[in-house]
Amino acid sequence: AFYTSRIVRSKANQVSVLPYAYFNYDRAFIRLDTLGIKTWQLGYGHLEIVGRYSQDGFDADTASLSGLKNRQTSIPLGIGTMQVTPAGAFFLNAFHDVNKSGGDLLEAIYVARLEASWLTLYPMLGAEFRSKDYVRYYYGVSPQEAANSQYAAYQPSGAFNSLIGLVADARLTDEYYVNFYLRRRWLANSIHASPIVNQKFQDTGYIALSYRFK
């Protein structure tokens, strides 16, 4: 079960039932919402071709959003790397949305590991950059939309967002685990100052029952 708090006015928080997977198979991999193929060796990892499952689109199907256009969910594709070092894991990704926004998304995340007998915790700290085109498509208000809606025109710049999170991996048996994840993203001023946004942060999370293959 995946949870996402919605930051756009009048849009309800979203709970979805989706497959959970985290695995490598030869050079292919899936890491929750990110999938890809490992290419050349690079430091403690590989240069990777990556794609991401996104849920950032929304329909302007409420009275509060009347006059706005629907925002289509992005399709982020790009390159990245996971560097598993003695000091922890570093995730670096650069995506381009090949769908309507045509914008870019860059992210850098550090993940530590704290292990007990039956519980492993992965605290994380990171930041992301969303380009001007990306932010304007989802949270801007065009002059035409301003004329048709209750909102003033708004053309934001790019956004740097900080984030913090925690993953918990609890062993039930040798094969079955419960996985829990919670992340908070603090939104840059160019996003939360949008007239159609009513939050300064966004929470996401999941809880899953998983089977571990060996």
Side-chain angles (χ1 to χ4, degrees):
F2 288 77
Y3 168 82
T4 303
S5 65
R6 303 303 293 265
I7 64 174
V8 174
R9 295 185 184 278
S10 73
K11 303 303 291 186
N13 295 340
Q14 183 175 359
V15 177
S16 306
V17 178
L18 298 169
Y20 171 91
Y22 196 111
F23 68 85
N24 297 290
Y25 182 77
D26 196 13
R27 289 185 174 269
F29 64 85
I30 294 179
R31 301 180 193 129
L32 305 179
D33 59 354
T34 304
L35 68 160
I37 298 174
K38 300 175 183 178
T39 62
W40 300 283
Q41 184 78 34
L42 179 66
Y44 289 91
H46 295 81
L47 179 66
E48 300 168 347
I49 300 172
V50 291
R52 174 160 292 173
Y53 173 75
S54 176
Q55 294 179 293
D56 48 13
F58 62 90
D59 291 337
D61 55 357
T62 66
S64 179
L65 300 176
S66 178
L68 301 181
K69 296 180 180 179
N70 294 340
R71 271 48 167 183
Q72 293 190 19
T73 294
S74 62
I75 305 176
L77 300 176
I79 59 173
T81 185
M82 179 179 72
Q83 299 289 313
V84 183
T85 76
F90 296 84
F91 296 82
L92 304 172
N93 292 302
F95 296 101
H96 177 74
D97 177 19
V98 299
N99 207 3
K100 290 294 185 178
S101 83
D104 300 314
L105 172 62
L106 311 176
E107 68 177 12
I109 298 174
Y110 168 73
V111 182
R113 178 187 174 105
L114 305 172
E115 190 170 9
S117 60
W118 59 273
L119 178 68
T120 304
L121 300 177
Y122 299 92
M124 64 177 60
L125 184 68
E128 65 174 22
F129 172 74
R130 299 186 182 193
S131 71
K132 175 179 66 176
D133 290 338
Y134 198 101
V135 176
R136 285 188 176 182
Y137 176 75
Y138 288 104
Y139 310 114
V141 179
S142 69
Q144 181 183 358
E145 289 178 317
N148 296 331
S149 71
Q150 60 179 305
Y151 302 110
Y154 182 67
Q155 296 296 295
S157 60
F160 282 96
N161 304 319
S162 58
L163 62 92
I164 190 171
L166 179 68
V167 177
D169 189 36
R171 186 178 73 246
L172 300 179
T173 69
D174 287 343
E175 293 84 18
Y176 285 96
Y177 289 73
V178 171
N179 305 100
F180 174 80
Y181 170 61
L182 184 63
R183 181 184 67 187
R184 171 160 290 187
R185 176 191 289 120
W186 284 273
L187 304 175
N189 184 68
S190 58
I191 295 179
H192 72 69
S194 167
I196 67 171
V197 171
N198 62 355
Q199 298 288 343
K200 291 187 177 182
F201 57 84
Q202 183 176 38
D203 293 328
T204 56
Y206 67 75
I207 186 169
L209 176 66
S210 63
Y211 182 87
R212 186 160 299 179
F213 296 89
K214 297 181 180 181

